[in-house]
Amino acid sequence: MSVVVRFAPSPTGVLHIGSVRTALFNWLFARHHGGKFLLRIEDTDRLRSTAENARSILEILNWLELDWDGEPVVQSSRIERHKEVANELVRSGKAFYCTCSPEELAVKKEAAIKAGKSHKYDGKCREQVVRPFENAVIRLRAETCGVTILDDLVQERVSTENAQLDDLVLLRSDETPTYMLSVVVDDHDMGVTHVLRGDDHLTNTFRQIQIYKACGWDIPQFGHIPLIYGPDGAKLSKRHGAASAQDYMQLGYLPEAIFNYLLRLGWSHGDSEIISRSEAVEWFDITGVGKSPARFDMAKLQNLNAHYMKMKDDQAIFECMSPFLETEESITDSQKNDILRGMKSLKGRSRTLVDLAESAKIYISAPKVFDDACSKYATNEHLSLLQDFVNIVEAADNLQESSMLEATKILASERSVKLVEIAQAVRGALCGKLASPSVFEIIEIIGKSETIARVRSFIKKYSTI
């Protein structure tokens, strides 16, 4: 089967995570069938489209390694072609000039609403003389009888009465093409064979089929993918938290985790959950896409991201994490080495790169602030224990994790306290918080002088309170 698909985002805003899933499904469909995945930037809304949003679209696709074939098509560069098709449809009698003013149409629409009727263009100008009119629009002469049937690749057979479709505008009075016309012309000229997009476009598809028929062009196969909903069953939006793809980049998610999660969001292959890129290409087909909306589960995404972080090489995950390390100075080779030595434990406790970067700060510098919970271990008894612990570190020839653990057990026994009391007090002094990897692993990595300096600083801070 010859396959040419396209992803056609509009740069009028940030790229929604649902649009990214649409891009992913198109990319996989093309790669599975050995076809082409084309990219078109639909920027004909000149007032709201921005170059920054267009660049962001390319950045996100590159981040996810959704490579496209050929150069991106910029829709605004094809306006003359869109106008040419609209005028040809007029010449062939498949479209007509409409001189109804916006005010006149608004009055008719308001009257229909008041009467409780559905409103569509009443065909007033359908039979007027075929010649250009100033301030006129070009409308499609839509079919008024019969049924338009769509054998959808996802929704199966759906149909609509043609009487429900109106003579849609193809060219505005300022000679700019409408979305409906531009999409059809571009898909035809780009040789698109399959259009996979959100099911919110289903109504548009019936209208666009009318344009294909009027032009005498082959109609591509359509597949309408259910939208992504939030946990509450409403369409996923900012009120559910992160909704744009850029948000997930900034929140510290790995591209392979986003790829895997979006793949399984509305598509399945048996019971497989962790799916590699190569397996996805091999297994994907549109028949695996469900008809019902998928619900976005942030906890599931975080768990999947944690899995990919653990699986990633320590050096590679450090490079991914580096942009999230907010430090006043550049990371030194020594600090980087300390982080890499502790990376296995750090990864095991993190679900995002932001989490990982925050945890890694214990190997960069002493804490400047302490969590409120640390004050529990700042009593006179605990400060006395910490001073004894400093003495142990000073006298130790070996700061290996196992050796320091044994030395601290002996101290706990001598002072008749639980090991956890000393360990938590030391953790608070070293990290400024009570959640971290093994405190004895941290000591082994940061070394004697740094350990002693941090604990003494903690003792000094709380001794004066």
Side-chain angles (χ1 to χ4, degrees), residues 340-382:
L340 288 173
R341 288 176 65 192
M343 186 61 81
K344 182 178 179 181
S345 296
L346 292 173
K347 287 194 298 185
R349 303 178 61 84
S350 304
R351 294 190 295 177
T352 69
L353 294 172
V354 172
D355 293 342
L356 186 62
E358 182 62 30
S359 298
K361 290 179 181 179
I362 60 177
Y363 295 121
I364 297 174
S365 62
K368 294 181 175 60
V369 295
F370 296 86
D371 288 352
D372 291 342
C374 292
S375 62
K376 176 182 177 181
Y377 297 95
T379 65
N380 289 335
E381 181 182 358
H382 286 103

Side-chain angles (χ1 to χ4, degrees), residues 388-411 419 422 426 438-445 448 451:
D388 287 349
F389 182 80
V390 167
N391 296 337
I392 290 174
V393 175
E394 286 183 316
D397 295 324
N398 182 356
L399 289 187
Q400 288 184 350
E401 182 177 357
S402 58
S403 298
M404 289 306 304
L405 173 59
E406 288 304 315
T408 308
K409 284 181 178 179
I410 293 171
L411 173 61
L419 173 66
I422 302 176
V426 173
S438 165
V439 67
F440 303 108
E441 178 184 4
I442 296 170
I443 291 168
E444 179 179 341
I445 291 173
K448 179 179 289 190
T451 297

Side-chain angles (χ1 to χ4, degrees), residues 215-228:
C215 292
W217 294 339
D218 291 338
I219 301 172
Q221 288 187 271
F222 289 91
H224 290 88
I225 303 163
L227 301 181
I228 299 174

Side-chain angles (χ1 to χ4, degrees), residues 42-334:
E42 297 194 335
D43 64 338
T44 48
D45 185 340
R46 305 308 293 167
L47 291 177
R48 297 191 299 143
S49 295
T50 69
E52 181 181 355
N53 287 334
R55 284 193 298 270
S56 176
I57 290 168
L58 302 184
E59 178 187 5
I60 291 164
L61 293 179
N62 283 321
W63 180 62
L64 290 168
E65 297 183 37
L66 301 182
D67 56 312
W68 54 90
D69 298 291
E71 293 296 318
V73 172
V74 179
Q75 193 170 64
S76 60
S77 68
R78 294 179 43 77
I79 287 178
E80 291 305 314
R81 168 62 174 155
H82 304 151
K83 291 165 60 176
E84 173 190 324
V85 172
N87 286 306
E88 178 57 37
L89 287 172
V90 172
R91 287 191 289 271
S92 65
K94 301 296 179 62
F96 59 91
Y97 290 103
C98 173
T99 56
C100 297
S101 69
E103 294 76 16
E104 181 182 352
L105 295 173
V107 169
K108 292 180 179 179
K109 180 177 181 179
E110 185 177 353
I113 292 174
K114 286 182 177 179
K117 299 178 181 178
S118 60
H119 171 73
K120 69 172 190 173
Y121 176 68
D122 61 7
K124 175 184 175 182
C125 299
R126 260 181 167 249
E127 306 307 326
Q128 71 179 3
V129 178
V130 180
R131 62 182 179 82
F133 291 91
E134 187 177 355
N135 296 323
V137 302
I138 292 179
R139 288 183 180 272
L140 178 72
R141 195 183 301 275
E143 296 180 10
T144 56
C145 300
V147 178
T148 295
I149 297 173
L150 174 65
D151 288 316
D152 193 90
L153 295 171
V154 177
Q155 306 296 331
E156 298 181 348
R157 176 159 288 198
V158 287
S159 63
T160 190
E161 297 287 337
N162 289 336
Q164 300 300 314
L165 305 177
D166 58 0
D167 298 328
L168 57 91
V169 175
L170 302 177
L171 206 65
R172 302 182 184 90
S173 58
D174 62 359
E175 294 196 312
T176 58
T178 61
Y179 164 80
M180 292 294 191
L181 174 65
S182 298
V183 167
V184 171
V185 174
D186 289 345
D187 281 348
H188 171 265
D189 288 0
M190 293 169 69
V192 171
T193 61
H194 297 75
V195 176
L196 310 180
R197 58 187 180 183
D199 63 5
D200 52 336
H201 283 281
L202 188 56
T203 301
N204 289 341
T205 297
F206 287 114
R207 289 174 165 81
Q208 289 165 9
I209 287 174
Q210 296 281 319
I211 302 176
Y212 277 104
K213 288 180 177 180
C215 292
W217 294 339
D218 291 338
I219 301 172
Q221 288 187 271
F222 289 91
H224 290 88
I225 303 163
L227 301 181
I228 299 174
Y229 283 9
D232 59 355
K235 184 178 177 182
L236 187 67
S237 65
K238 286 184 178 180
R239 69 185 181 86
H240 295 107
S244 77
Q246 204 165 40
D247 288 338
Y248 291 93
M249 294 176 67
Q250 294 169 352
L251 288 170
Y253 289 90
L254 293 172
E256 47 265 56
I258 294 294
F259 183 105
N260 193 155
Y261 183 71
L262 292 181
L263 169 66
R264 289 286 290 110
L265 201 58
W267 175 87
S268 62
H269 182 81
D271 296 328
S272 300
E273 291 290 341
I274 306 297
I275 302 175
S276 69
R277 181 176 291 264
S278 59
E279 288 172 334
V281 171
E282 179 184 353
W283 296 342
F284 185 85
D285 207 352
I286 200 67
T287 54
V289 177
K291 291 183 181 180
S292 302
R295 295 205 179 193
F296 201 97
D297 186 336
M298 184 64 78
K300 189 171 183 178
L301 172 59
Q302 289 177 340
N303 290 335
L304 194 61
N305 198 63
H307 165 80
Y308 278 102
M309 287 175 62
K310 291 175 186 175
M311 298 296 293
K312 210 170 186 67
D313 172 79
D314 288 349
Q315 178 65 43
I317 199 70
F318 177 85
E319 298 302 327
C320 293
M321 175 193 69
S322 294
F324 298 92
L325 279 172
E326 297 179 359
T327 56
E328 295 177 1
E329 298 178 356
S330 299
I331 303 296
T332 66
D333 290 342
S334 176

